[in-house]
Amino acid sequence: MTVAHPIAQAPGAALRLVREVTLAEGPLFSSRAAMAAARELGMSADSAYKALSLAAQAGIAIRLKGGLYRAAPPFGPAHLHEFLVATTLVRPSVISGPSALSHWSLIDQTPLRIVTASSPKTVLPPMSRGASTALLQQVGHHGWVIEGVTYIYRKIPQSEMFGISDVWLDTETQVPMFDRERAVLDTFLHPRARGSGYLGELLLEEHLQDLDLDRLQRYAHITNNPRVIARVADAGQRAAPVASNADL
């Protein structure tokens, strides 16, 4: 039995709407952006909502969370990088924690299908129904499970939103992420959230040559947290002889 391609099942209005909004916004778009695109096409509000609903039913626009959608082929890629989804789901947000440390090759690959990010916003509601209760109890964060990926958000003060780099994941995808030193600093700022109170010290011992210690110490001073400043300074001093011995 031959199954029709989703585009063949979608009405013309749905096709026009998804094409228009992806040209304007890219493969991730909000329902508000879809309504704006519909107005450009001369659609009424009722017609636009119906077209968006039909696009979702046909599988050419996949509803991720609330009013956020992603375009499916042929209007978007078959797969969107999870980091892009994470930083679009909650704005502003930045890839952080194990996801950032793993991206910078400072820790081994993080558990599959889990993305960690930070935001000054409170992310509600706490996880979707697909979330693991054990995971929620372990991390104590908020987020969603979308298409099998768990997106975990830690709320941080606005004052901690620094040390952010725009990182290219491929030729078309760029996301905000804590740079190497800021990602390491996070392990000193929130040691319990990273699963080890001494992870920062271990990272400095193993990767001191890959890190800018002066920048890390400047970042520590930005926090105005005497405990963090002292721990980073002490960890740097302890790691330096280890790195020197490794070169011998």
Side-chain angles (χ1 to χ4, degrees), residues 110-227:
T110 56
L112 295 177
R113 316 300 281 172
I114 297 177
V115 176
T116 51
S118 295
S119 173
K121 295 180 64 175
T122 298
V123 178
L124 295 172
M127 287 289 186
S128 67
R129 294 181 180 178
S132 162
T133 301
L135 177 63
L136 282 175
Q137 292 175 343
Q138 176 186 356
V139 300
H141 305 328
H142 301 282
W144 292 271
V145 174
I146 297 172
E147 297 187 310
V149 178
T150 300
Y151 294 91
I152 299 170
Y153 295 87
R154 166 169 288 277
K155 182 179 180 180
I156 62 174
Q158 182 64 47
S159 60
E160 292 184 14
M161 290 288 285
F162 64 88
I164 300 170
S165 296
D166 290 324
V167 175
W168 287 99
L169 304 174
D170 54 44
T171 56
E172 298 181 351
T173 309
Q174 189 181 40
V175 299
M177 181 185 302
F178 282 153
D179 64 23
R180 286 178 176 84
E181 291 73 24
R182 180 63 183 85
V184 171
L185 179 67
D186 225 21
T187 66
F188 290 94
L189 279 168
H190 308 288
R192 293 181 181 179
R194 305 299 170 237
S196 170
Y198 299 98
L199 178 57
E201 284 83 353
L202 293 173
L203 291 174
L204 282 177
E205 286 184 9
E206 296 178 4
H207 299 283
L208 185 62
Q209 294 179 337
D210 301 320
L211 297 167
D212 184 331
L213 186 57
D214 289 339
R215 177 182 294 174
L216 176 59
Q217 291 176 337
R218 288 199 304 272
Y219 284 174
H221 281 274
I222 290 174
T223 69
N224 289 319
N225 185 321
R227 179 186 59 82

Side-chain angles (χ1 to χ4, degrees), residues 13-14 16-22 24-25 29-52:
R16 291 195 300 274
L17 177 59
V18 176
R19 181 184 297 111
E20 182 73 14
V21 71
T22 53
E25 299 288 326
F29 61 91
S30 65
S31 56
R32 179 178 298 180
M35 295 304 103
R39 288 194 293 272
E40 292 294 322
L41 294 172
M43 292 183 182
S44 67
D46 287 344
S47 297
Y49 280 114
K50 182 178 180 180
L52 184 58

